């Protein structure tokens, strides 16, 4: 790590305050060589743990620098692998709890901007928001003080960004895990002073799970992305090698190279229109799941009525 960066990080941590001038210095030193190293990223985390009252300028720098490190610190770019996710969670848990909005915003930003993230990181992020809502404490609550169980505007916006993020099973693909979390929050906060955004978020999320469609392999894996980037960056690549790779990837196209690009729907390729249409249908399993979730508390509440009305109107 740049020695000046290390010294400045220690100085900031010592007085538990970071000035705009120090943030500018950290920014210049951190990106002086075009990238954030792991040592620099860990120093930034250490500073964040020490600052008593982080301001907006610090939060912006903290989130920007660490998102850059996690998503672009190693090849392939714009992806977070299991090792990087484990490192990030360990840094956030270093003092035993998630304390600041800067840390929460960092997790949300990574999930939101990544082409792919491990499910463990998305689950961890959603759990932190859920715990803040259910316990009435945490980084989303003013000063971390106990407050009535409800869901705030900030929490609604964070949840929407995470569950509809591109880093999961595909853009806007809501999972059953996400949907069940929304039901838990709904049951715990029903009748309380919730944000106006909560009702539409609950209905949008559950309806998307029931009537949307996604693929388990919607995201290219970290390892596969590395293979593809290595091929594209190989300066020995030529048309013959490229076509050969295509044939290996598409055995059904081995008859003639000239016919590869004339392949039509119905020859074994996915029919995305049909899959989208099938996603619009609520299956028997999905209906049974919804019935169980609604009947769990023995009543049909206002949000569940709104959900059923949405589903009926879209039939």
């Amino acid at each position: 790590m740049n020695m000046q960066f290390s010294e400045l990080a220690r100085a900031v941590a010592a007085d538990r305050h970071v000035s705009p001038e120090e943030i500018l210095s950290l920014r210049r030193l951190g990106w002086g060589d075009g990238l954030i190293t792991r040592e620099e990223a860990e120093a930034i985390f250490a500073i964040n743990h020490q600052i008593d009252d982080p301001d907006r300028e610090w939060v912006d720098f903290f989130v920007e620098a660490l998102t850059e490190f996690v998503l672009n610190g190693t090849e392939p770019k714009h992806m977070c692998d299991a090792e990087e996710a484990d490192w990030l969670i360990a840094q956030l848990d270093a003092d035993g709890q998630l304390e600041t909005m800067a840390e929460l915003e960092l997790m949300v930003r990574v999930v939101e901007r990544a082409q792919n993230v491990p499910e463990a990181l998305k689950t961890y992020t959603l759990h932190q928001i859920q715990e803040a809502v259910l316990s009435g404490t945490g980084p989303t609550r003013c000063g971390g003080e106990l407050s009535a169980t409800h869901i705030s505007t900030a929490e609604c916006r964070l949840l929407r960004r995470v569950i509809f993020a591109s880093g999961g099973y595909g853009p806007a693909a809501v999972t059953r895990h996400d949907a069940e979390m929304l039901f838990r929050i709904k049951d715990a906060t029903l009748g309380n002073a919730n944000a106006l955004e909560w009702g539409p978020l609950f209905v949008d999320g559950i309806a998307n799970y029931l009537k949307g469609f996604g693929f388990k392999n919607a995201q290219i894996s970290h390892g596969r992305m590395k293979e593809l980037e290595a091929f594209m960056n190989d300066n020995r690549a030529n048309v013959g090698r490229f076509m050969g790779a295509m044939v290996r990837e598409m055995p059904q196209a081995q008859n003639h190279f000239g016919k590869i690009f004339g392949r039509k729907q119905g020859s074994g390729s996915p029919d995305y229109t049909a899959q989208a249409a099938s996603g619009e249908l609520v299956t028997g399993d999905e209906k049974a799941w919804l019935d169980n979730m609604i009947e769990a508390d023995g009543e049909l509440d206002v949000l569940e009525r709104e959900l059923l009305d949405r589903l009926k109107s879209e039939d």
Side-chain angles (χ1 to χ4, degrees):
M1 178 169 60
N2 184 299
M3 185 59 68
Q4 290 176 289
F5 188 98
S6 178
E7 292 173 356
L8 182 55
R10 284 194 294 269
V12 170
D15 62 11
R16 307 184 70 84
H17 174 74
V18 57
S19 69
E21 293 75 21
E22 288 169 327
I23 293 174
L24 180 59
S25 295
L26 287 170
R27 187 179 290 276
R28 287 172 174 169
L29 293 169
W31 272 287
D33 56 0
L35 56 87
I36 300 289
T37 66
R38 175 164 291 197
E39 292 79 7
E40 290 168 346
E42 291 175 351
I44 293 170
F45 260 114
I47 294 171
N48 190 64
H49 290 317
Q50 295 296 323
I51 297 174
D52 287 327
D53 188 21
D55 59 18
R56 183 74 258 174
E57 192 171 357
W58 167 256
V59 172
D60 288 344
F61 167 73
F62 175 82
V63 173
E64 182 182 356
L66 292 173
T67 300
E68 173 69 20
F69 169 71
V70 172
L71 297 185
N72 297 320
T74 59
E75 297 292 340
K77 303 294 186 182
H78 311 301
M79 298 189 75
C80 174
D81 65 14
E83 180 182 353
E84 290 163 337
D86 289 344
W87 174 86
L88 179 56
I89 292 172
Q91 293 296 315
L92 294 165
D93 282 342
D95 56 358
Q97 59 183 331
L98 192 71
E99 294 182 331
T100 68
M101 277 296 291
E103 294 172 333
L104 188 52
E105 174 64 24
L106 169 62
M107 290 190 298
V108 173
R109 186 77 61 85
V110 169
V111 174
E112 186 177 46
R113 295 195 173 181
Q115 291 182 14
N116 198 1
V117 297
E119 187 65 18
L121 181 59
K122 183 177 179 182
T123 299
Y124 177 86
T125 303
L126 289 172
H127 176 74
Q128 297 299 325
I129 303 172
Q130 175 185 289
E131 285 303 297
V133 173
L134 299 184
S135 69
T137 61
T140 61
R141 301 304 167 101
C142 181
E145 297 176 356
L146 182 65
S147 63
T149 300
H150 69 283
I151 183 162
S152 68
T153 296
E155 289 157 349
C156 286
R157 292 174 180 173
L158 290 169
L159 283 172
R160 184 175 287 276
R161 289 168 61 192
V162 175
I163 66 174
F164 291 107
S166 63
Y169 287 101
V174 178
T175 68
R176 177 168 292 196
H177 178 273
D178 300 338
E180 291 178 350
M181 176 208 62
L182 291 173
F183 261 102
R184 285 194 297 273
I185 293 176
K186 185 268 298 177
D187 290 339
T189 61
L190 196 63
N192 293 336
N194 297 318
L196 294 176
E197 292 90 343
W198 169 237
L201 172 58
F202 173 80
V203 174
D204 288 347
I206 305 302
N208 179 285
Y209 164 62
L210 293 171
K211 305 198 74 172
F213 84 105
F215 305 106
K216 290 184 178 180
N217 61 344
Q219 307 296 339
I220 298 177
S221 71
H222 195 269
R224 181 58 176 149
M225 181 64 81
K226 281 186 173 180
E227 292 176 2
L228 292 173
E229 287 194 349
F231 177 81
M232 295 302 294
N233 292 330
D234 186 351
N235 59 16
R236 295 172 300 166
N238 55 52
V239 173
R241 292 179 62 241
F242 176 72
M243 298 303 290
M246 284 190 66
V247 169
R248 289 192 295 274
E249 294 287 339
M250 302 164 57
Q252 67 274 21
Q254 290 187 33
N255 51 352
H256 295 289
F257 281 152
K259 294 184 180 180
I260 288 176
F261 299 104
R263 185 164 167 256
K264 296 181 179 179
Q265 201 68 262
S267 59
S269 60
D271 186 341
Y272 296 110
T273 302
Q275 293 190 47
S278 67
E280 283 291 317
L281 302 175
V282 178
T283 67
D285 286 344
E286 290 171 338
K287 184 179 184 303
W289 172 86
L290 181 60
D291 289 344
N292 287 334
M293 298 303 291
I294 290 177
E295 294 170 1
D297 58 0
E299 64 176 348
L300 184 66
D301 60 59
V302 62
L303 289 182
E304 291 167 346
R305 288 182 186 277
E306 289 180 14
L307 171 62
L308 293 177
D309 287 344
R310 164 77 70 83
L311 296 174
K312 183 178 180 179
S313 70
E314 294 178 350
D315 284 341

